[in-house]
């Protein structure tokens, strides 16, 4: 049994392991080359998150989707580089917006340098992704442009918040569909499309990626509350500190207050306060939320999305790549445990 990709995904087929690992190695080498600049300082800042590591979930999905066609087709690796560069660029921008001090277990770019450097580095990565994308043809450019529009729209919706009368939970799901689901859907689509898979397979893997994107983000929501920084690579409770309502909080808000439970009452009080500047109150809220039934409900909801993603794969032919995609559903779910 060989382990490749994020979350310790186990792939038992030697040929698939070889193909995926070869592709992932090529992506990694291409990422290093893509961020090099004639300006040494830009190379340093643009390499910052690549050197910090990461799950490389999107490139992995490209490689697995490509197994339903020709995995060695010339567009497969470049398309994986495009989605990962785009993802990395959004992380630089997200950390500025969130004022996050840590990313992938290392100081974020905005805390190591400053916000301006982080924003401009993200822009640089977007430009390099566009350069790679241009060689993949007009259809690929249109697909990426549509996904990027959805990604930005999701970020704007998050920033603006739900309108009066909107369901906050549905608003949040719309946000993550844009911010996260769009690019993961493109990963599945690019892999199958560049490999020359049949149209119906491309459609299934696009839908699978969309659903997995939601499950992926919901798992992150749970991790943000339930894990320590060693497990997640991020400062725990970042969203809680900033007052960003993620799935556990939104589910908690749907639940009636248990007046007989002092911890529930206290947690509601804390969530109505500004936790950004008070480390003690933030730590108390995080501790209480970890024990609250809302966190378990969030775990179950994440599992539901992962199972829906798995069900989408049913029409695909039985093969090691299909089994690996099913394994990703398990792996994303396991992260929430």
């Amino acid at each position: 049994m060989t382990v490749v990709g994020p979350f310790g995904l186990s792939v038992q087929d030697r040929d698939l392991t070889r193909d995926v690992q070869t592709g992932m190695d090529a992506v990694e080498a291409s990422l290093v080359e893509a961020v090099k600049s004639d300006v040494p300082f830009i190379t340093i800042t643009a390499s910052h998150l690549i050197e910090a590591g990461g799950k490389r979930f999107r490139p992995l999905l490209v490689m697995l989707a490509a197994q339903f066609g020709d995995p060695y087709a010339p567009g497969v690796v470049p398309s994986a580089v495009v989605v990962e560069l785009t993802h990395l660029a959004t992380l630089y921008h997200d950390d500025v917006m969130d004022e996050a001090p840590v990313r992938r277990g290392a100081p974020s770019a905005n805390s190591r340098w400053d916000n301006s450097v982080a924003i401009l580095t993200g822009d640089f990565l977007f430009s390099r992704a566009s350069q790679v994308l241009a060689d993949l043809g007009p259809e690929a450019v249109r697909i990426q442009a549509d996904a990027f529009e959805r990604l930005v729209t999701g970020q704007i919706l998050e920033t603006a918040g739900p309108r009066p009368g909107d369901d906050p939970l549905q608003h949040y799901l719309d946000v993550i569909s844009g911010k996260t689901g769009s690019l993961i859907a493109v990963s599945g689509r690019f892999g199958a499309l560049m490999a020359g898979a049949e149209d119906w397979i491309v459609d299934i893997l696009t839908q699978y990626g969309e659903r997995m994107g939601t499950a992926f983000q919901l798992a992150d929501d749970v991790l943000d509350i339930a894990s320590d920084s060693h497990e997640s690579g991020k400062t725990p409770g970042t969203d809680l500190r900033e007052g960003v309502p993620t799935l556990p909080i939104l589910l908690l808000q749907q639940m009636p207050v248990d007046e007989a439970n002092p911890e529930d009452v206290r947690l509601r009080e804390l969530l109505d306060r500004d936790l950004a500047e008070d480390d003690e109150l933030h730590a108390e809220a995080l501790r209480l939320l970890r024990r609250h039934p809302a966190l378990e409900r969030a775990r179950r909801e994440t599992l539901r999305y992962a199972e829906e993603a798995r069900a989408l794969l049913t029409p695909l032919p039985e093969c090691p790549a299909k089994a690996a995609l099913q394994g990703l559903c398990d792996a994303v779910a396991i992260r929430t445990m």
Side-chain angles (χ1 to χ4, degrees):
M1 180 178 293
T2 304
V3 177
V4 298
F7 319 129
L9 175 66
S10 297
V11 177
Q12 299 183 15
D13 183 85
R14 289 185 178 180
D15 291 339
L16 176 60
T17 298
R18 182 195 65 240
D19 286 351
V20 170
Q21 193 62 62
T22 298
M24 295 294 283
D25 290 345
V27 169
E28 204 67 27
S30 297
L31 287 172
V32 172
E33 288 301 312
V35 300
K36 288 182 178 178
S37 168
D38 292 337
V39 180
F41 180 63
I42 295 177
T43 303
I44 292 171
T45 62
S47 302
H48 179 63
L49 285 184
I50 292 177
E51 293 174 352
K55 295 177 285 291
R56 303 289 190 260
F57 179 81
R58 291 153 188 82
L60 176 64
L61 183 52
V62 173
M63 296 304 142
L64 291 175
Q67 291 291 318
F68 294 89
D70 175 9
Y72 300 108
V76 173
V77 168
S79 68
V81 173
V82 167
V83 292
E84 187 66 11
L85 284 174
T86 304
H87 171 58
L88 289 170
T90 66
L91 297 185
Y92 281 84
H93 289 178
D94 281 352
D95 285 345
V96 171
M97 297 183 70
D98 297 341
E99 299 180 358
V102 176
R103 168 69 70 174
R104 296 180 172 175
S108 60
N110 49 296
S111 63
R112 179 173 174 180
W113 293 287
D114 59 34
N115 285 347
S116 295
V117 168
I119 291 170
L120 291 170
T121 300
D123 293 343
F124 174 79
L125 293 178
F126 281 131
S127 72
R128 288 300 171 90
S130 297
Q131 290 176 10
V132 178
L133 182 66
D135 292 332
L136 297 178
E139 184 178 8
V141 172
R142 179 185 56 78
I143 290 170
Q144 176 74 356
D146 290 345
F148 192 55
E149 178 183 347
R150 288 186 59 204
L151 194 157
V152 173
T153 299
Q155 183 64 71
I156 292 173
L157 283 175
E158 181 179 62
T159 303
R163 296 172 299 180
D166 285 351
D167 176 4
L169 179 56
Q170 185 57 53
H171 175 269
Y172 179 66
L173 292 174
D174 291 342
V175 166
I176 63 175
S177 176
K179 282 188 61 178
T180 305
S182 59
L183 198 56
I184 295 180
V186 166
S187 300
R189 186 172 184 178
F190 270 166
L193 183 67
M194 295 298 162
E198 296 181 57
D199 289 346
W200 67 273
I201 292 179
V202 174
D203 289 342
I204 285 176
L205 292 171
T206 302
Q207 294 175 49
Y208 168 85
E210 181 85 28
R211 214 63 182 165
M212 280 295 289
T214 298
F216 184 83
Q217 183 57 56
L218 297 184
D220 270 3
D221 286 356
V222 172
L223 277 175
D224 185 61
I225 299 299
S227 70
D228 58 31
S229 58
H230 175 72
E231 293 174 288
S232 66
K234 295 167 60 179
T235 303
T238 297
D239 293 323
L240 179 65
R241 181 183 294 277
E242 298 301 323
V244 177
T246 57
L247 183 65
I249 300 298
L250 291 166
L251 291 175
L252 182 148
Q253 291 171 344
Q254 290 184 342
M255 300 169 70
V257 180
D258 184 357
E259 300 289 354
N261 185 342
E263 287 195 352
D264 186 38
V265 174
R266 174 59 176 165
L267 179 56
R268 311 288 180 134
E269 293 174 354
L270 290 171
L271 294 179
D272 286 335
R273 300 175 67 169
D274 183 1
L275 303 177
E277 302 299 331
D278 194 315
D279 290 344
E280 290 187 5
L281 290 181
H282 173 261
E284 182 184 2
L286 188 60
R287 184 173 63 254
L288 293 174
L289 187 54
R290 285 171 172 169
R291 297 203 293 257
H292 198 280
L295 185 60
E296 181 56 35
R297 286 186 61 187
R299 287 191 172 103
R300 293 199 301 269
E301 190 71 1
T302 302
L303 287 171
R304 181 174 72 83
Y305 276 92
E307 285 305 309
E308 289 178 359
R310 181 200 300 275
L312 287 167
L313 299 172
T314 301
L316 294 179
E318 296 299 327
C319 63
K322 179 178 178 178
L325 291 171
Q326 292 168 332
L328 278 178
C329 298
D330 295 333
V332 170
I334 288 169
R335 296 175 71 221
T336 70
M337 299 304 179

